[in-house]
Amino acid sequence: MLFESDRIVFRKATANDAELYHAWRNDLEVMRSTSPWLDIYDLEETRQFVHQVILGSPSSKSYILVDKTSETPFGITSLIQLDTKNRNAECIIDIGNKAYWGKGYGTEALKLLLDYAFLELNLYRVSLRVFSFNERAIKLYEKLGFRREGISRQSLFREGAWHDIIHMGLLQHEYGNGCPDDFEAAVTKA
């Protein structure tokens, strides 16, 4: 089902999510592997970020990840730089509540997002960027079918050392999780 799996429901992000996002954004352990800029933000800065970046961009769609059973929000996922002419976007996921780490919620959430991107929005390509030290995320992305497309060498300085940013991409016909067997044929005929 669109926007819902066995354990997760997507909820459209709203301005009311600023305080929730603020807690995640100020948790350096959460942001260490996803944000190129580590800092401590005051609530007003986070409200502006949510308003301008998460909600204010006409070329993005952002969803709060909610535990279906407990109704606990635990992360955010987005399609950004959504380009309908060229049918591509970049995807982002942050699991802000660390109690949900390592339990398959990231995989489940990304499958939902990719189903939406490829089966509803009819995107042809979804890309992402991942820090080279984030080995768990790289394994997850590869499991979902993403391929390494390039590297921005030593472009992230974190904890006193330089790290690469790995660029990955997934094409519609390469996406097997969630797509019906005849999906490629249906798209080709359309």
Side-chain angles (χ1 to χ4, degrees), residues 41-96:
Y41 301 94
D42 67 36
L43 184 55
E44 187 53 38
E45 287 175 309
T46 300
R47 282 189 177 118
Q48 288 176 9
F49 179 83
V50 167
H51 180 70
Q52 293 171 356
V53 177
I54 295 176
L55 303 176
S57 172
S59 63
S60 69
K61 294 179 176 283
S62 297
Y63 303 94
I64 298 296
L65 306 174
V66 179
D67 181 317
K68 200 172 182 179
T69 303
S70 68
E71 299 183 3
T72 302
F74 64 88
I76 187 167
T77 190
S78 304
L79 290 170
I80 64 169
Q81 299 175 7
L82 189 57
D83 177 350
T84 55
K85 178 195 177 292
N86 295 300
R87 296 175 47 206
N88 63 68
E90 182 179 344
C91 71
I92 294 174
I93 184 168
D94 284 327
I95 306 293

Side-chain angles (χ1 to χ4, degrees), residues 67-147:
D67 181 317
K68 200 172 182 179
T69 303
S70 68
E71 299 183 3
T72 302
F74 64 88
I76 187 167
T77 190
S78 304
L79 290 170
I80 64 169
Q81 299 175 7
L82 189 57
D83 177 350
T84 55
K85 178 195 177 292
N86 295 300
R87 296 175 47 206
N88 63 68
E90 182 179 344
C91 71
I92 294 174
I93 184 168
D94 284 327
I95 306 293
N97 184 332
K98 292 180 278 194
Y100 288 82
W101 287 9
K103 297 179 180 174
Y105 284 93
T107 303
E108 201 168 318
L110 275 177
K111 284 181 182 178
L112 277 175
L113 187 67
L114 292 171
D115 282 352
Y116 178 58
F118 290 129
L119 303 177
E120 184 61 31
L121 297 179
N122 195 26
L123 295 182
Y124 183 73
R125 181 176 188 282
V126 174
S127 64
L128 58 84
R129 292 174 288 163
V130 60
F131 304 154
S132 58
F133 60 80
N134 195 348
E135 295 173 13
R136 279 183 27 196
I138 293 167
K139 286 179 186 174
L140 162 63
Y141 302 144
E142 288 174 339
K143 182 172 92 171
L144 290 173
F146 281 89
R147 296 183 187 180

